[in-house]
Structures are given as C-alpha cells and as structure tokens.
Amino acid sequence: MLALRRLSAKARSGASTLLARHATNASRAGLPRIDAATAIDQATRERFDADGAVVLRGLAAPEWVDALRAGAEANLEGPGPLCDEHADAAGTGGRFHDDQFLWTRHAVFDEWVRASGAGAVAARAMSSQTARIFYDQLFVKEPGTAAPTPWHNDTSYWHLTGSQICSIWVALDDVPAVRGLR
C-alpha cells in the first residue's frame, strides 16, 4: 500500500516542494517502475486535492516491497547517526526503530527515491512537473513492543512552506489496525 498525504492548507504558505525526485525512466536494479499516469488518474488527483490524501493499494510491486524490506533489515543491523530506538528510550521493551536519510546510505532506498517512479506519482498527484526529496524515514516496530505510536503532525518539524508538499508512505508489512497510531 502506498499513501500520499498533502499538508493542511494552514501549514502551507510558500512555494517549496518535497519528496522523491525521479531521474530515470527505468529502475537500474531491474525492479518495476511505477507508471504515474496509470496510478494517478484525474479522479485520484481531484480526490487528493479535495481530501489531502489518497491510498494507492498495490502501487509498490511485491518486488519493491521485498527489496525495501531487505533494506530495512540492513538498516536495523547498521543504523545511521539519526537513529532513535523509542522503546529503549521509553523503557518499555521490544524494539521501535526510527531512522532517516536511508537513501543516502543504502542503495535500495536510493533506487526507490530516484528510479521507482514514486517521485513521478508525487509530482502527478500535486499537478507538478517535478518533485524533490526532502528526506526519507523508516519506522520498524517489532511485534510485542509496548511503546505506543502516538498520532503526530509532521509539519511541526518539517520547517517547510508551500502548497506542493506531500509525503509518500509505504507499508512493508501487513499490520492490524489495533497496532496502528493511537
């Protein structure tokens, strides 16, 4: 599942863009490229404009999900300097891992950002010719981890303005709703 979310009108006031610049027409690793024109038709674009979010189930092919899962596992073994372990910090046990800028350290995340077509999907949803990456982020909450996942608003720490701002969220595992945001 892939979800696009636009920042609220209140949070938009300038002209910045973010997320997923696309550089090539085909994936360099032989992974399938997402066809933005097929993924974002006029009705989807209008729904995105009206609601600020759309869910595009099945957009990331299983090959991409498997590759990104492997990248997530690699990051768990060798996290970056901005990694947070939320369960450790909360003293609750289990593992709730959060890391950023994976695309600068892991080839599969760089491939996703630059060649998967996700950037073209973001651009088309925003009725833009291009989209640029601001950052990527990985959350891994292992089963049985007691640390809650609080509802939050990304705009408090994004420090961006503009009406052409969206985020792309890709689920790498099926998770029951009871384990979602609270």
Side-chain angles (χ1 to χ4, degrees), residues 33-48:
R33 183 167 170 82
I34 300 165
D35 179 11
T38 301
I40 305 288
D41 60 15
Q42 188 60 33
T44 303
R45 188 181 292 171
E46 289 170 6
R47 203 168 66 249
F48 183 67

Side-chain angles (χ1 to χ4, degrees), residues 95-137:
R95 188 166 190 191
F96 187 1
H97 175 92
D98 165 11
D99 206 354
Q100 301 172 36
F101 299 105
L102 287 86
W103 73 282
T104 66
R105 300 186 319 274
H106 298 282
V108 69
F109 292 105
D110 179 68
E111 183 77 8
W112 172 256
V113 166
R114 294 179 187 269
S116 70
V121 170
R124 187 165 173 88
M126 296 185 295
S127 301
S128 178
Q129 294 297 311
T130 62
R132 302 181 195 284
I133 186 165
F134 173 56
Y135 77 105
D136 63 351
Q137 190 164 17

